Amino acid sequence: TSPCDRPVPPTAGLSHDKWEIDPTELHLLEELGSGQFGVVRRGKWRGSIDVAVKMMKEGTMSEDDFIEEAKVMTKLQHTNLVQLYGVCSKDRPIYIVTEYMRHGSLLNYLRRHEASLSTNVGYLLDICIQVCRGMAYLERRNYIHRDLAARNCLVGSENVVKVADFGLARYVLDDQYTSSGGTKFPIKWAPPEVLNYTRFSSKSDVWAYGVLMWEVFTCGKMPYGRLKNAEVVDRVQRGLILEKPKACVKEVYEIMRKCWAHCPEVRPSFRVLKEQLINVNQGLV
Ligand SMILES: CN(C)c1ccc2c(c1)CCN(c1cccc(-c3cc(Nc4ccc(C(=O)N5CCOCC5)cn4)c(=O)n(C)c3)c1CO)C2=O
């Protein structure tokens, strides 16, 4: 018989690509919380590796586009990025499997440890430098985060801080989150060009990084307090910026302010920011 009328074996083309994880090798444990895509649980991969597993809630993500992008994301590897190990995409719901960070989000960590952190300027600056290292790596790889904030960074063993969920904003289907008029859009971390034209770039990540620095030095306060989104948009358009946090030394606030230059080209790159922050940190010791 000719090949074309022989039934195609079901496993054809199912070459187990390295970013495809076999769900039978995953053992799911307690729930860690839930995010844009639904519940996230701690798990064990191949018996011993601690992982976090996002279980994609139906209708929350453009899954096929994400599965394509996952191949790129697994190649982004840096000590200050939460590593994507792979996906389970053969069944629904799909699972996103990443490294596990035992202390949870940086925002909750700052709020939980405010008492001890607020007097430890050196450590607050070290947290900012760790996030900057991860972001400088993404910048070098021409990879835009699109939702950098303390809530989207995680803290692991030995208080290592890593950037998480980079690039995922592109796959959220909830237009309350994706459109700048939506109730879930991160207005308080967005620069003018994103508010007006949703023009994302590494320089819009730099603006968000400035707000993240403010979050770190206030140990997790809400930027612009209880101001409504419309009021924040108005202030940002008029060039009003966040005030200097008490725990922040002048040199650090000067760097923060540069991240909020109205013009994206005027803002420093993450590479330059990293050098400046390390210089200040050395000056502090
Ligand atoms: C589109 N964008 C920007 C997205 C999309 C999805 C998500 C996010 C943003 C951010 C939020 N998120 C999400 C939701 C749920 C979990 C995780 C999440 C939580 C982790 N770890 C922990 C560890 C401990 C605790 C904990 O309960 N505590 C309390 C006791 O003291 C220690 C800490 C919580 N999370 C973790 O390692 N990963 C990788 C992800 C994450 C982070 O991943 C998402 O799933």
Side-chain angles (χ1 to χ4, degrees), residues 24-40:
T24 63
E25 294 183 326
L26 276 181
H27 178 63
L28 296 180
L29 300 165
E30 82 274 12
E31 197 176 301
L32 295 171
S34 58
Q36 295 287 348
F37 300 130
V39 167
V40 183

Side-chain angles (χ1 to χ4, degrees), residues 32-37 40 52 54 82 98-104 112 147 152 154 165 168-169 172 177:
L32 295 171
S34 58
Q36 295 287 348
F37 300 130
V40 183
K54 288 192 203 315
V82 173
T98 71
E99 81 175 287
Y100 172 66
M101 303 287 280
R102 59 199 287 266
H103 294 296
R112 259 201 322 270
D147 192 356
N152 291 336
L154 291 164
D165 301 311
L168 290 187
V172 175
Y177 172 82

Side-chain angles (χ1 to χ4, degrees), residues 3 7 12-13 20 27 39 60 62 68 73 79 85 121 136 152 160 179 203 226 230 236 246 254 267 277 282 284:
E20 187 63 35
H27 178 63
V39 167
T60 59
S62 44
E68 199 48 41
M73 294 169 103
T79 41
Y85 289 143
V121 175
N152 291 336
V160 68
S179 76
K203 291 302 179 68
R226 315 180 60 77
V236 165
K246 276 191 298 302
E254 281 318 303
R267 295 170 210 151
L277 290 168
Q282 275 155 4
L284 276 182

Side-chain angles (χ1 to χ4, degrees), residues 32 100-109 112 150-151 153-156 160-162:
L32 295 171
Y100 172 66
M101 303 287 280
R102 59 199 287 266
H103 294 296
S105 83
L106 173 60
L107 181 60
N108 291 337
Y109 184 82
R112 259 201 322 270
R151 65 180 174 276
C153 292
L154 291 164
V155 185
V160 68
V161 179
K162 303 193 182 196

Side-chain angles (χ1 to χ4, degrees), residues 110-260:
L110 290 167
R111 291 175 173 172
R112 259 201 322 270
H113 301 275
E114 172 167 15
S116 58
L117 287 175
S118 53
T119 55
N120 192 342
V121 175
Y123 182 53
L124 294 178
L125 190 49
D126 179 62
I127 291 172
C128 294
I129 291 169
Q130 289 191 62
V131 172
C132 196
R133 289 185 197 281
M135 289 308 299
Y137 172 83
L138 285 183
E139 180 182 71
R140 267 200 311 281
R141 302 291 303 269
N142 296 315
Y143 207 90
I144 305 167
H145 190 296
R146 289 181 174 79
D147 192 356
L148 179 60
R151 65 180 174 276
N152 291 336
C153 292
L154 291 164
V155 185
S157 315
E158 287 100 53
N159 298 323
V160 68
V161 179
K162 303 193 182 196
V163 176
D165 301 311
F166 35 91
L168 290 187
R170 290 169 294 171
Y171 307 102
V172 175
L173 288 177
D174 179 355
D175 52 23
Q176 283 306 323
Y177 172 82
T178 51
S179 76
S180 59
T183 55
K184 298 176 192 165
F185 188 87
I187 288 278
K188 295 179 168 181
W189 286 262
E193 74 274 10
V194 166
L195 295 174
N196 295 319
Y197 319 107
T198 40
R199 189 175 301 143
F200 289 100
S201 67
S202 282
K203 291 302 179 68
S204 63
D205 279 351
V206 165
W207 178 290
Y209 177 76
V211 181
L212 180 145
M213 285 181 73
W214 188 91
E215 292 183 274
V216 169
F217 279 91
T218 57
C219 292
K221 293 282 176 300
M222 171 58 82
Y224 312 98
R226 315 180 60 77
L227 280 187
K228 292 190 189 56
N229 276 349
E231 290 166 314
V232 173
V233 171
D234 180 52
R235 291 170 72 106
V236 165
Q237 307 282 32
R238 283 190 286 125
L240 294 175
I241 60 167
L242 289 161
E243 77 288 350
K244 186 181 84 59
K246 276 191 298 302
C248 187
V249 292
K250 210 172 36 58
E251 297 89 329
V252 172
Y253 184 59
E254 281 318 303
I255 294 171
M256 227 184 264
R257 284 170 56 115
K258 286 183 193 149
C259 297
W260 299 323

